[in-house]
């Protein structure tokens, strides 16, 4: 079983639409990260959230860490074709040496 | 921009061949990782290293082996490749702080074993 489940698995939307993707777990994380991976490249870190309830904005992207630190969401406003990619969440558990990566959401924004 | 490199980018080989996937970083990072990625989806950690002469197995069992003789270099070797090894292999590095320290990824090697 995967520790971090992301939904939806695939999402295809028109340019200009808004969307939200989710990263859920039954476990508590001390921090959570979001990465974006474009085709043919490795993932690139977008943000790290560390406090329950924390909200961070990165231009049109809004990231939220759940109050209980078990889940997170990524909201994109007015999606653009450049937002196309695989979005991965990754959680840090207290005492663990490495990150746990989520199942991923593949986003396609159609011009 | 991250200074972490992987070669080759693409590799197609026959069953039974020995292969080595190269990974190098110029950031002086102590920690390095190898991940196996299902086509376009989740990452599975197969090996990591805290520094020279340190190697550990990750969460996903793998028949590959790694070595860390130099800080900047973390090659992955398959002694006898099989079709089940077909996958994307991603290398990453980070500082020696918390697990949440930023991981910098290479572009990956897409391996196909016929």
């Amino acid at each position: 079983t995967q520790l971090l489940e992301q939904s939806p698995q695939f999402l295809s939307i028109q340019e200009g639409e808004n969307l939200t993707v989710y990263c859920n777990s039954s476990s508590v994380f001390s921090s959570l990260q979001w990465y974006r991976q474009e085709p043919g490249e490795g993932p690139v870190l977008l943000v790290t959230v560390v406090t329950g309830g924390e909200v961070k904005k990165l231009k049109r992207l809004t990231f939220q860490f759940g109050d209980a630190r078990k889940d997170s969401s990524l909201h994109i406003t007015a999606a653009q074709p450049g937002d196309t990619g695989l979005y991965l969440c990754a959680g840090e558990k207290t005492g663990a040496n490495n990150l746990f990566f989520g199942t991923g959401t593949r986003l396609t924004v159609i011009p | 921009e991250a200074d972490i490199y992987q070669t080759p980018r693409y590799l197609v080989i026959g069953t039974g061949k020995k292969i080595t996937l190269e990974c190098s970083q110029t950031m002086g990072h102590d920690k390095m990782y190898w991940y196996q990625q299902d086509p376009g989806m989740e990452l599975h950690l197969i090996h990591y290293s805290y520094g020279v002469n340190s190697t550990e197995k990750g969460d996903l069992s793998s028949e590959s082996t790694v070595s860390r003789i130099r800080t900047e270099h973390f090659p992955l070797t398959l002694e006898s490749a099989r079709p089940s090894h077909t996958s994307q292999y991603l290398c990453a590095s980070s500082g020696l702080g918390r697990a949440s320290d930023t991981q910098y990824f290479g572009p990956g090697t897409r391996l196909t074993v016929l």
Side-chain angles (χ1 to χ4, degrees):
Chain A
T1 52
Q2 192 69 12
L3 197 58
L4 281 165
E5 294 284 347
Q6 290 186 240
S7 62
Q9 189 176 10
F10 299 96
L11 184 58
S12 182
I13 61 170
Q14 293 293 133
E15 182 176 359
E17 293 182 352
N18 302 332
L19 66 114
T20 303
V21 299
Y22 300 93
C23 174
N24 295 306
S25 177
S26 57
S27 298
V28 175
F29 293 93
S30 51
S31 69
L32 201 136
Q33 299 179 321
W34 284 91
Y35 287 80
R36 179 169 66 212
Q37 183 179 18
E38 297 184 13
E41 299 297 329
V44 175
L45 179 68
L46 296 174
V47 76
T48 301
V49 285
V50 298
T51 306
E54 181 177 2
V55 176
K56 278 192 174 179
K57 289 182 183 269
L58 185 65
K59 296 184 181 178
R60 294 176 293 101
L61 278 60
T62 302
F63 305 85
Q64 184 162 8
F65 201 11
D67 291 339
R69 291 186 287 125
K70 292 183 179 181
D71 53 78
S72 181
S73 64
L74 158 60
H75 181 80
I76 301 178
T77 303
Q80 298 177 0
D83 296 327
T84 293
L86 176 68
Y87 288 81
L88 292 158
C89 64
E92 174 193 21
K93 289 181 68 66
T94 301
N97 296 319
N98 301 300
L99 292 175
F100 296 89
F101 277 86
T103 51
T105 292
R106 179 162 294 284
L107 171 66
T108 302
V109 182
I110 302 164
Chain B
E1 188 171 322
D3 296 318
I4 180 163
Y5 310 97
Q6 289 186 245
T7 57
R9 292 292 308 273
Y10 302 92
L11 182 60
V12 181
I13 60 167
T15 297
K17 299 291 185 185
K18 177 180 177 179
I19 61 165
T20 297
L21 308 185
E22 301 288 348
C23 176
S24 294
Q25 50 96 6
T26 58
M27 295 173 283
H29 285 160
D30 288 303
K31 205 165 179 185
M32 295 188 74
Y33 315 78
W34 276 103
Y35 291 90
Q36 188 171 337
Q37 184 174 29
D38 297 336
M41 297 305 284
E42 56 196 290
L43 274 64
H44 298 283
L45 182 66
I46 52 175
H47 299 283
Y48 62 99
S49 166
Y50 288 113
V52 171
N53 295 325
S54 153
T55 60
E56 303 285 345
K57 289 191 179 294
D59 306 315
L60 180 69
S61 175
S62 173
E63 294 167 344
S64 59
T65 59
V66 292
S67 63
R68 190 87 182 275
I69 298 172
R70 302 198 315 266
T71 298
E72 63 271 21
H73 195 213
F74 192 38
L76 180 145
T77 298
L78 275 167
E79 290 292 333
S80 180
R82 295 205 301 272
S84 61
H85 296 138
T86 293
S87 191
Q88 163 111 316
Y89 292 85
L90 287 164
C91 179
S93 72
S94 71
L96 253 189
R98 292 173 57 169
S100 59
D101 281 2
T102 302
Q103 291 191 24
Y104 295 90
F105 284 83
T109 294
R110 183 167 296 283
L111 173 65
T112 302
V113 184
L114 304 175

